[in-house]
Amino acid sequence: MHEAPFTDIRVRQAVNYALNRKALVILYGGPGIARPLCGLIPSALGVEGQTCPYTRAASPTAPAQQWSAPDMQAARNLVRASGTMGQKITLVVASSSADMAMGVWVRDMLQNLGYQAVLRPISSSLQLPYIQNTDNHVQIALTSWSADYPSASNFVDALFGCENFHPHSDSSINIPGFCDPQAQAIMDRARTDTSLSAMQRDQFWVDANRLIMAQAPAAPMIEKDNVVLTSARVRNFFYTEVNQLLFSQVWLH
């Protein structure tokens, strides 16, 4: 959000409109292990009411599971209105095969919007701290996030909370540098108000998601499943969303 042309909200919204999330699912490995995502809260958390505003559906508040093709016309109109067409954009990606494949697609999408876009691959072990540091002046990057625990707060607040933006540091979780007082107030209450029911808390996260996505500091693309292949001899297979396979609990028959 602090590097041109993405200082302009219209450019950030254009990226969200232009993403073909179904194509990105295929590039990652297919619908068996990934699904489109256009909000900040993964479906596994069971938070109801999240909407997908950047869609060609009849209603901009179509349910998040009703996916449609990208709206390239809306995206191009926003880019033209921003006056940024023709600018140079460098997309930073990890050098893994899946990230490179998706990165090439996003680069081509940016070129179709009228930008001079190039891809910059970086070693997978170095890419995240590199894009976290504002001193590197990263315009746009492709990255992934896994929660420390299964809660909407670990996606919405962790990635876009004001307190998690640390400029000039390679540990800034809030990579876009997003900070909105209204959204932050909602997130703070969702985290700390013990009088809220689970349904009320979920609604607060949905409201925060809506406010954040209206400013488009990021463009959610896909949510991914972890696939674990095991031997038929494995017994007491124990797996959690966060810690994954607990090797201390399994044995071979």
Side-chain angles (χ1 to χ4, degrees):
M1 293 182 68
H2 301 286
E3 299 289 336
F6 300 103
T7 50
D8 192 313
I9 187 175
R10 293 168 293 190
V11 179
R12 303 194 302 269
Q13 291 174 333
V15 171
N16 275 276
Y17 274 117
L19 279 179
N20 187 330
R21 294 171 174 86
K22 291 182 179 179
L24 293 164
V25 164
I26 294 170
L27 290 170
Y28 183 76
I33 59 172
R35 291 166 300 282
L37 182 72
C38 72
L40 305 174
I41 307 172
S43 62
L45 297 181
V47 176
E48 301 292 335
Q50 188 172 214
T51 59
C52 186
Y54 301 103
T55 175
R56 288 179 61 187
S59 168
T61 57
Q65 297 305 315
Q66 293 182 6
W67 306 104
S68 60
D71 194 336
M72 290 300 293
Q73 188 58 53
R76 290 191 180 101
N77 289 343
L78 285 166
V79 171
R80 275 194 291 269
S82 73
T84 62
M85 190 174 292
Q87 290 188 17
K88 294 181 179 179
I89 293 178
T90 299
L91 169 65
V92 179
V93 300
S95 57
S96 69
S97 57
D99 283 89
M100 286 289 292
M102 292 190 290
V104 167
W105 190 95
V106 175
R107 179 204 62 192
D108 293 349
M109 177 204 77
L110 291 168
Q111 291 175 343
N112 288 334
L113 290 177
Y115 294 107
Q116 300 180 55
V118 297
L119 196 66
R120 183 181 182 188
I122 293 180
S123 169
S124 299
S125 62
L126 301 176
Q127 193 249 6
L128 181 58
Y130 182 85
I131 66 176
Q132 287 177 306
N133 195 327
T134 56
D135 290 343
N136 294 320
H137 301 286
V138 174
Q139 294 168 289
I140 184 172
L142 179 69
T143 192
S144 59
W145 175 254
S146 298
D148 297 322
Y149 54 93
S151 167
S153 67
N154 214 229
F155 291 90
V156 184
D157 189 37
L159 297 177
F160 301 96
C162 299
E163 72 280 6
N164 293 321
F165 176 51
H166 307 292
H168 317 295
S169 167
D170 59 5
S171 61
S172 180
I173 302 174
N174 182 345
I175 297 173
F178 178 86
C179 183
D180 179 79
Q182 185 179 2
Q184 189 64 56
I186 292 173
M187 293 189 288
D188 289 344
R189 185 174 179 193
R191 282 190 298 104
T192 62
D193 191 340
T194 57
S195 68
L196 296 175
S197 66
M199 185 176 296
Q200 289 173 323
R201 196 177 310 281
D202 284 352
Q203 185 57 53
F204 273 90
W205 291 121
V206 168
D207 291 343
N209 172 80
R210 175 179 50 79
L211 288 172
I212 294 169
M213 286 309 302
Q215 298 185 54
M221 299 187 338
I222 63 174
E223 57 180 9
K224 305 174 289 185
D225 290 329
N226 288 328
V227 178
V228 181
L229 302 178
T230 69
S231 165
R233 298 170 55 206
V234 169
R235 296 293 184 270
N236 199 40
F237 178 86
F238 193 87
Y239 185 91
T240 70
E241 295 266 351
V242 176
N243 297 311
Q244 301 182 23
L245 176 61
L246 298 186
F247 286 95
S248 63
Q249 302 299 308
V250 302
W251 65 83
L252 292 178
H253 178 66

